[in-house]
Amino acid sequence: MNPQDYAQQKAAASGSSFYYAFLFLPPERRAAITAFYAFCREVDDVVDEVSDLGVAQAKLAWWRQQVAQSFGGRADHPALQALMPHTATFGIEARHLLAVIDGCQMDLDQSRYLDFANLQQYCHLVAGIVGEVAARIFGQTDPRTTDYAHKLGLAFQLTNIVRDVGEDAARGRIYLPVNELQRFDVKAHELIKRGAAPGMDTADFHRRFRELMRFQCERALKTYDEALGLLPETDRRAQKPGLMMASIYRTLLQEIAADPLLVLTQRVSLTPLRKFWLAWKVQALGRL
């Protein structure tokens, strides 16, 4: 299997909504974003799939070494071998890849976020930087598009956090800010148990959890609106893939907002056909 096929397989296997937006890109841009996404998946898998903290730390250190080595002219990993031919063309720098690794390092170093400002720093590394690189690959011509890309990346990550509340809590990670849990009187142990403690009022927990999640969904939806307002008209056509992803993710968020309790027991998702339909509508109409 050559590096390009490896990256393609890694990106497709993730089942991400992003993959549907990639399908509409010209071959070179599609190859570049697929390789970059494959790299991001590889690094993220270190956090999600390696249970030993020491091993995970060592793996991230290895990835940092691989990035430095790749930009020095020798890429060993197939994801980086697939990506490196595109770095000069699309302005992808080592600092972008290292920032993604730094974001995954935050996952190893902390499992709680005191407030939204603290959470935003994490989102900047794991999603804002990814948005910045993606915008360059899609064909950015206006410097202002970088602000749009960072804001859209934040919206995507907030959506992921909302969708994965139950799964993350089962791993001992709670991304919802501590001060917001306190504001809505939702306890960390309730999220970890995915429900009220034995003997406690289940209906009351459901009420508190719904209120917390509606607040989270409303903020994320507002962030999408803010991002779209930052996109310069001159780059709107080139940034269609990002708009496709926004359509898919915003639709997912609206479904969660309608029944927030679902995230405690299942991974809420859209069908592949629906994702493709939402992406195609943006491609055809040029708007969400």
Side-chain angles (χ1 to χ4, degrees), residues 92-122:
I92 304 170
E93 303 170 26
R95 67 176 178 87
H96 293 127
L97 307 193
L98 293 173
V100 174
I101 298 173
D102 287 343
C104 292
Q105 182 68 51
M106 285 186 72
D107 270 325
L108 300 183
D109 293 340
Q110 65 183 97
S111 58
R112 301 286 192 278
Y113 294 85
L114 182 61
D115 53 29
F116 188 60
N118 191 217
L119 179 63
Q120 280 183 293
Q121 175 57 23
Y122 168 75

Side-chain angles (χ1 to χ4, degrees), residues 158-254:
L158 293 178
T159 304
N160 286 337
I161 288 169
V162 166
R163 180 196 62 195
D164 297 340
V165 164
E167 289 181 14
D168 288 334
R171 296 189 181 109
R173 295 198 202 109
I174 299 175
Y175 293 96
L176 303 180
V178 171
N179 66 343
E180 294 174 7
L181 293 178
Q182 294 171 339
R183 173 181 169 184
F184 291 94
D185 196 28
V186 174
K187 309 296 190 297
H189 69 80
E190 291 177 315
L191 294 181
I192 292 171
K193 292 179 178 297
R194 304 193 193 193
M200 301 302 289
D201 187 341
T202 298
D204 181 62
F205 165 71
H206 286 172
R207 176 189 61 78
R208 290 181 281 114
F209 182 76
R210 284 193 187 98
E211 289 177 358
L212 169 67
M213 294 304 287
R214 283 176 183 141
F215 172 79
Q216 303 296 325
C217 290
E218 286 171 8
R219 178 168 58 199
L221 288 168
K222 181 181 178 183
T223 306
Y224 281 107
D225 292 338
E226 291 172 351
L228 296 175
L230 291 172
L231 177 59
E233 192 61 38
T234 51
D235 270 355
R236 184 169 292 275
R237 183 178 180 84
Q239 298 302 317
K240 270 188 181 181
L243 298 178
M244 293 176 192
M245 292 184 280
S247 178
I248 293 169
Y249 262 60
R250 198 162 67 169
T251 300
L252 174 65
L253 192 61
Q254 289 166 337

Side-chain angles (χ1 to χ4, degrees), residues 39-94:
F39 163 80
C40 293
R41 292 305 317 160
E42 291 285 352
V43 176
D44 191 58
D45 285 349
V46 172
V47 175
D48 289 342
E49 298 179 2
V50 180
S51 57
D52 185 292
L53 178 60
V55 173
Q57 298 273 21
K59 282 181 173 289
L60 289 186
W62 181 85
W63 275 106
R64 286 192 181 91
Q65 182 184 49
Q66 284 296 304
V67 169
Q69 184 176 295
S70 296
F71 278 87
R74 196 182 89 235
D76 291 337
H77 194 280
L80 288 169
Q81 290 173 349
L83 178 60
M84 293 313 295
H86 305 288
T87 54
T89 303
F90 299 113
I92 304 170
E93 303 170 26

Side-chain angles (χ1 to χ4, degrees), residues 2-13 19 23 30-31 34-35 38 82:
N2 64 40
Q4 292 71 31
D5 289 341
Y6 178 91
Q8 174 76 18
Q9 186 177 83
K10 186 72 178 179
Y19 182 69
L23 297 175
R30 184 168 67 245
T34 299

